[in-house]
Amino acid sequence: MSSDQTFVIVGASLAGAKAAETLRGEGYDGRVVLIGAEDQRPYERPPLSKDYLRGEVGRDKVYVHSESFYAEHDIELRLGRTAVSLNTADGELALDDGERLHYDRLLIATGAEPRRLSIPGDELDGVLYLRSVEDSDALRDRLDSGGAVVVIGAGWIGAEVAASARQRGLEVTVVDPLTVPLERVLGAEVGGVYRDIHVDHGVQMLMGTGVEAFDGGTAVERVRTTDGRELACDFVVVGVGVAPRTALAAQAGLAVDNGILVDKHLQTSAPGVFAAGDAANAHHPFYGERIRVEHWANALHQGPVAARAMLGAPAVYDRLPYFFSDQYDVGMEYAGFARSWDRVVFRGDPATREFIAFWLVEDRVVAGMNVNVWDVSDPIQRLIRERISVDGRRLADPGASLEELVAADAGSTA
Ligand SMILES: Cc1cc2nc3c(=O)[nH]c(=O)nc-3n(C[C@H](O)[C@H](O)[C@H](O)COP(=O)(O)OP(=O)(O)OC[C@H]3O[C@@H](n4cnc5c(N)ncnc54)[C@H](O)[C@@H]3O)c2cc1C
């Protein structure tokens, strides 16, 4: 495809980098400009709370592409540059150094940023957050020094940091107002499995408890909880969720509501402007509603779909939400989406830490999580996607293959 057009991508991380790669892969030979506020070329964040944080792999393992990739594919990578304003009527983007860029198509892949705690002592040294590779480096330095850490928030980031800190031999306390870790997504039953995993590894889990203040001179020395405890510590990691970065879109008047609103083609309310990744709240054809997903696979796959849509193809994003997590020697994959459910069916004993959990609404699987059981995510996703009516006893029976459950249904509806 020969083109004198300019496609601009704001956000040089996973979604943005994959979009740029796809534009070239699809044969687009116009100008591609990839703008990133960070000084690093695009990298993947999952290792930042896992092996990279623990010092087991180096920087070279986290990058999305080799250093030479962008020049080789004629992708203009502008690092350390922030897009500060957008005029969709004129097709113009302004950068923080005063440069104005005309675009024919624009992708906003600005991601998300950690929610900050606003409590007394929140400005003390040693109150850390984790989003960037520099954050992970700073946290690794703390792990190297050992001591005691209080992790605020038992979501995915908090749980993985707690695991990595324990693996590095620190004393770890986790504080969260909910009753079990990961409760919002997994519910009390499966979240309880993760609480036990952390307790077994020596983490003090203070659940049902909030944080009132951080005390100390210039650096944090104690965490005061809402139930009156004082937890001595050397540093604190706060993992209380992320917020989509929507400022640029909102300033330009794009529709924004818990993320940049996009349709199934990832197009925003402004023609020619698309959004993907953590920043996008996308209409999902399977669910018939908008969903904003803050996970790696979503950024990995939405970037390419947005790129194809920018090129005018009828590309649709309809993958089921999927994510993974590694804590200690427990790896898991979760597929689907469930705000509520009627029951959870276990295949295998959760106490063995090798099991599959299925979340059911009536007799249909709406989400599934395989823990230390591999190569089953495809049939789990088919059970969900094909809205297969399942017999709970067969679902729970490790002897009944998931493929057969899917095939049996296909046969019954044929
Ligand atoms: C520590 C950590 C561990 C994780 N582990 C997992 C995991 O195990 N499994 C999983 O599924 N997911 C995991 N995730 C989530 C996953 O990394 C994110 O979903 C993914 O990074 C989203 O990619 P993105 O490209 O949409 O946005 P981001 O990665 O947030 O990148 C957005 C980029 O845009 C830049 N930017 C923002 N505004 C501007 C602007 N105005 N101008 C220029 N640039 C701008 C930002 O600086 C940033 O570099 C983890 C995340 C973190 C932080």
Side-chain angles (χ1 to χ4, degrees):
M1 185 189 310
S2 176
S3 171
D4 56 4
Q5 296 200 323
T6 299
F7 284 13
V8 175
I9 301 169
V10 180
S13 186
L14 186 57
K18 283 288 167 186
E21 176 191 319
T22 305
L23 288 174
R24 290 300 183 225
E26 293 287 324
Y28 167 74
D29 66 0
R31 192 174 172 212
V32 178
V33 187
L34 177 56
I35 301 160
E38 298 185 62
D39 292 326
Q40 305 293 326
R41 73 177 190 269
Y43 60 89
E44 313 225 6
R45 297 179 201 274
L48 307 185
S49 50
K50 308 179 185 71
D51 45 4
Y52 181 83
L53 173 61
R54 295 192 298 271
E56 295 163 11
V57 298
R59 275 268 174 110
D60 52 320
K61 294 285 183 240
V62 304
Y63 291 113
V64 178
H65 296 114
S66 66
E67 198 170 358
S68 58
F69 174 87
Y70 301 96
E72 279 164 16
H73 291 83
D74 197 17
I75 295 165
E76 294 175 40
L77 187 56
R78 310 279 185 86
L79 296 178
R81 307 276 292 278
T82 301
V84 290
S85 73
L86 166 64
N87 180 333
T88 57
D90 297 344
E92 198 174 76
L93 187 73
L95 306 190
D96 53 354
D97 61 356
E99 183 180 354
R100 285 175 187 278
L101 271 170
H102 166 78
Y103 66 83
D104 296 288
R105 298 275 185 281
L106 177 71
L107 173 62
I108 306 179
T110 44
E113 61 199 338
R115 293 185 195 280
R116 303 260 154 189
L117 278 185
S118 180
I119 57 173
D122 57 9
E123 77 297 344
L124 289 172
D125 190 30
V127 176
L128 308 179
Y129 290 79
L130 176 56
R131 184 75 191 176
S132 68
V133 72
E134 287 83 8
D135 295 339
S136 185
D137 289 343
L139 186 49
R140 187 187 324 124
D141 288 346
R142 298 278 180 164
L143 298 190
D144 288 345
S145 305
V149 56
V150 177
V151 177
I152 315 292
W156 298 108
I157 298 289
E160 290 190 350
V161 167
S164 286
R166 270 310 290 151
Q167 285 171 280
R168 292 294 315 276
L170 280 82
E171 265 178 56
V172 181
T173 304
V174 175
V175 179
D176 192 297
L178 297 180
T179 56
V180 295
L182 310 164
E183 185 171 347
R184 272 192 199 88
V185 179
L186 303 184
E189 222 174 332
V190 184
V193 177
Y194 273 92
R195 176 202 51 220
D196 295 348
I197 290 168
H198 283 281
V199 169
D200 287 355
H201 283 87
V203 175
Q204 187 185 13
M205 299 295 286
L206 296 182
M207 305 306 297
T209 310
V211 177
E212 203 161 81
F214 301 126
D215 293 335
T218 54
V220 63
E221 293 165 22
R222 280 174 310 281
V223 174
R224 264 192 284 142
T225 63
T226 49
D227 65 356
R229 294 173 207 242
E230 295 210 348
L231 308 169
C233 61
D234 296 292
F235 63 100
V236 165
V237 181
V238 182
V240 293
V242 296
R245 286 199 195 89
T246 55
L248 184 69
Q251 164 276 320
L254 303 187
V256 168
D257 179 13
N258 178 32
I260 304 165
L261 297 186
V262 293
D263 64 15
K264 64 183 179 181
H265 308 294
L266 306 182
Q267 163 134 345
T268 69
S269 55
V273 180
F274 298 77
D278 280 13
N281 190 358
H283 178 82
H284 197 295
F286 180 76
Y287 295 107
E289 61 175 305
R290 283 212 169 84
I291 296 181
R292 192 174 67 77
V293 179
E294 298 163 350
H295 293 301
W296 173 88
N298 183 68
L300 181 78
H301 298 299
Q302 277 194 347
V305 168
R308 292 189 187 100
M310 291 164 88
L311 291 167
V316 168
Y317 189 79
D318 67 351
R319 280 177 178 263
L320 292 180
Y322 164 93
F323 64 88
F324 59 91
S325 175
D326 296 314
Q327 296 166 46
Y328 313 101
D329 54 355
V330 181
M332 62 76 97
E333 298 173 286
Y334 176 105
F337 173 68
R339 286 204 178 95
S340 61
W341 50 87
D342 298 329
R343 63 193 169 119
V344 179
V345 170
F346 289 100
R347 168 178 284 232
D349 180 359
T352 64
R353 274 131 215 192
E354 246 181 64
F355 66 97
I356 307 176
F358 300 95
W359 285 259
L360 271 74
V361 172
E362 295 176 354
D363 60 354
R364 291 172 205 282
V365 176
V366 293
M369 180 174 86
N370 45 302
V371 177
N372 282 349
V373 175
W374 304 110
D375 301 325
V376 289
S377 193
D378 283 352
I380 291 174
Q381 293 193 35
R382 284 192 61 199
L383 284 172
I384 300 169
R385 186 173 280 286
E386 293 171 27
R387 297 190 164 100
I388 290 173
S389 200
V390 288
D391 171 350
R393 279 165 310 179
R394 291 196 68 204
L395 202 56
D397 176 7
S401 99
L402 293 177
E403 281 84 0
E404 277 169 23
L405 280 179
V406 177
D409 183 82
S412 73
T413 53

